[in-house]
Amino acid sequence: MSPPRPNHQVGYIDLVALVVLSCTIFISPAKTAAFSFLPSTHRNALSVRQPCTRDHIWKPSLHNRSSTSFLVMKRPHRQRRSTSTDPVIPEDVPTELRANLKRKVAAKRPLLGHVVPKGSITRKLKPTDVSQGGSDAAQLRPQGQSRDTQRYNNPSNLKILGGTARGRKLESPTVYLRPMMGKVKEAVYSTLTSFGLYDDVGGNINSCRTRHLDIFSGSGSVGLESLSRGARHCTFVDMSMDCCSTAERNIERCGFNGWVEGGIGSGIDDEGEPQARVVCADAFRALREPETVGINPDAMYDLVTLCPPYEEIVYADLIDAVANSVLVGEDTVILIEYPVELGCLPHAIARDDGGALVGIRNRKYGRTVIAMYIVNPTGARETAESRPEEFITL
């Protein structure tokens, strides 16, 4: 007869048995739904499914294999690439633009540090001698007058924000402009990158197929940012000779004066084209009759940016010109910058050929609004989905 076990040994064995029994009950699949052992944000990710199949990607490491039901985790449905090449056009697209887009908008902005109105007393003050130094040496420059390019080389503090030419400072035209703000440009190109416009970017300039058309280019900061991030080609269009000359100097400064090869599938001729090209012409003529200003109408663009002077154009005419231009095709992304005083652009814009521009982004940055459209979307750009909820006036 074996001697009796000590009391402390009996208590230890009973405790282990109790813990094993509790764990068995807790992980039982039939009772799993009654327990809340995940954070509240993940509780809906659990469900009980049956029967057991091999197709499930994830399974818990512990479950009752004798039961036909078990615990699985729901994974979010990813948007699959569309196999169809037919454009997806929304229904009931309005054929006419709203009345607020058919008139010029009054979008007054506070004066910048280098802009002085004609009636300002600052014009009457004599400039302080620069050699004396101090804060009084800074001068405000009147708008429309020529500036000292040696001293005021970059009044808007323009520079490349990302890519191969990151940090490179840009020259500004002698005519004081109001370029796209740095924070807006950074957000814009973050979105464009998510659309896949700069995929397959490498050391070779021919690796990326994106062709960019920069209308109202000014100093060329928007298009140069695109080239820096890997765009294959950019065409700069502005009707000011001063702006075109400045854009050419900035292209040379950033090193985007190379040559890209053409061929089948590139959208350009076999002999190729320059990496950057400047066209001094009217924006509406370049969009409607590109061959008359030297732009090849057969080489369509993947990205078109429009940053016009707010008070000098009618947005309805500009939208009509770019929507029906031969330079845009399926899945072309169009960016339009407009002021909050204009109201809100429509979510869908009809084209003359029966297609449409579908709104995919409409973001407000202070008093500037950036709207992005995609032309006759086929689903090739997975993240460029329609977002009608953003095209509302707040």
Side-chain angles (χ1 to χ4, degrees):
M1 182 176 181
S2 59
R5 292 176 295 180
N7 294 334
H8 68 275
Q9 186 176 359
V10 175
Y12 175 76
I13 296 176
D14 294 340
L15 179 60
V16 172
L18 180 61
V19 171
V20 173
L21 180 61
S22 300
C23 293
T24 305
I25 296 175
F26 182 74
I27 64 175
S28 177
K31 298 182 179 181
T32 301
F35 294 92
S36 178
F37 53 87
L38 287 180
S40 59
T41 55
H42 299 284
R43 290 174 188 170
N44 294 332
L46 300 177
S47 66
V48 177
R49 292 183 180 179
Q50 57 180 359
C52 178
T53 62
R54 287 186 174 181
D55 298 334
H56 294 90
I57 300 176
W58 180 88
K59 299 179 182 180
S61 58
L62 295 175
H63 59 81
N64 186 4
R65 295 185 180 273
S66 62
S67 175
T68 57
S69 64
F70 59 91
L71 186 67
V72 297
M73 177 177 288
K74 292 181 179 179
R75 295 204 179 264
H77 296 286
R78 298 183 61 184
Q79 185 177 3
R80 297 182 178 179
R81 182 181 295 272
S82 176
T83 57
S84 174
T85 58
D86 297 333
V88 182
I89 308 300
E91 299 180 357
D92 301 330
V93 178
T95 57
E96 292 188 6
L97 297 175
R98 292 193 290 263
N100 63 317
L101 304 177
K102 297 182 180 181
R103 58 177 180 268
K104 289 188 176 182
V105 60
K108 300 296 182 182
R109 293 292 182 266
L111 299 177
L112 299 180
H114 58 273
V115 179
V116 182
K118 292 183 179 180
S120 175
I121 194 175
T122 309
R123 290 176 179 267
K124 303 176 183 179
L125 298 178
K126 295 182 179 180
T128 308
D129 187 6
V130 180
S131 61
Q132 297 178 0
S135 59
D136 293 338
Q139 300 182 35
L140 296 180
R141 307 296 297 176
Q143 184 178 11
Q145 294 187 6
S146 60
R147 59 179 171 83
D148 184 1
T149 57
Q150 298 297 327
R151 182 181 179 190
Y152 299 97
N153 185 34
N154 190 8
S156 300
N157 195 26
L158 298 176
K159 62 181 180 179
I160 304 298
L161 301 179
T164 58
R166 180 179 180 181
R168 194 69 55 87
K169 293 184 177 181
L170 303 178
E171 183 180 341
S172 297
T174 57
V175 178
Y176 292 106
L177 304 177
R178 196 175 298 274
M180 181 183 292
M181 296 182 295
K183 64 177 183 179
V184 179
K185 187 163 61 173
E186 184 68 33
V188 162
Y189 277 95
S190 177
T191 303
L192 295 177
T193 302
S194 69
F195 292 161
L197 287 170
Y198 303 104
D199 289 348
D200 302 327
V201 175
N204 187 358
I205 61 175
N206 297 324
S207 57
C208 182
R209 296 293 181 180
T210 297
R211 304 184 73 252
H212 185 172
L213 177 61
D214 186 9
I215 305 291
F216 304 104
S217 60
S219 62
S221 62
V222 176
L224 289 171
E225 187 76 31
S226 182
L227 289 173
S228 178
R229 294 173 185 260
R232 176 187 179 90
H233 168 82
C234 183
T235 301
F236 301 85
V237 178
D238 202 292
M239 67 180 303
S240 170
M241 287 295 299
D242 184 17
C243 292
C244 292
S245 300
T246 304
E248 290 178 348
R249 291 193 295 270
N250 286 331
I251 292 171
E252 185 76 20
R253 175 177 297 187
C254 295
F256 297 134
N257 53 350
W259 188 267
V260 293
E261 299 178 356
I264 299 175
S266 63
I268 55 177
D269 297 332
D270 293 340
E271 61 270 17
E273 63 180 349
Q275 190 177 3
R277 184 185 180 191
V278 180
V279 176
C280 188
D282 178 69
F284 295 92
R285 185 179 179 184
L287 291 172
R288 291 169 175 163
E289 301 174 351
E291 63 279 359
T292 61
V293 297
I295 300 177
N296 184 4
D298 297 328
M300 293 185 294
Y301 291 85
D302 304 287
L303 174 63
V304 179
T305 54
L306 303 162
C307 303
Y310 297 156
E311 298 182 329
E312 298 182 14
I313 59 104
V314 177
Y315 273 86
D317 298 337
L318 180 63
I319 293 173
D320 177 75
V322 68
N324 299 291
S325 176
V326 295
L327 299 177
V328 301
E330 292 182 353
D331 296 321
T332 297
V333 177
I334 298 176
L335 180 148
I336 303 176
E337 178 182 339
Y338 66 98
V340 294
E341 290 85 354
L342 189 65
C344 183
L345 296 185
H347 168 249
I349 301 172
R351 286 165 48 98
D352 294 342
D353 60 358
L357 274 63
V358 181
I360 52 180
R361 295 291 189 277
N362 190 55
R363 304 289 172 82
K364 178 176 174 291
Y365 305 92
R367 300 178 68 181
T368 300
V369 187
I370 299 294
M372 296 185 187
Y373 294 88
I374 186 168
V375 181
N376 296 344
T378 63
R381 304 194 187 279
E382 297 181 6
T383 57
E385 71 279 359
S386 174
R387 294 192 177 182
E389 67 276 4
E390 294 191 7
F391 289 82
I392 56 176
T393 302
L394 301 177

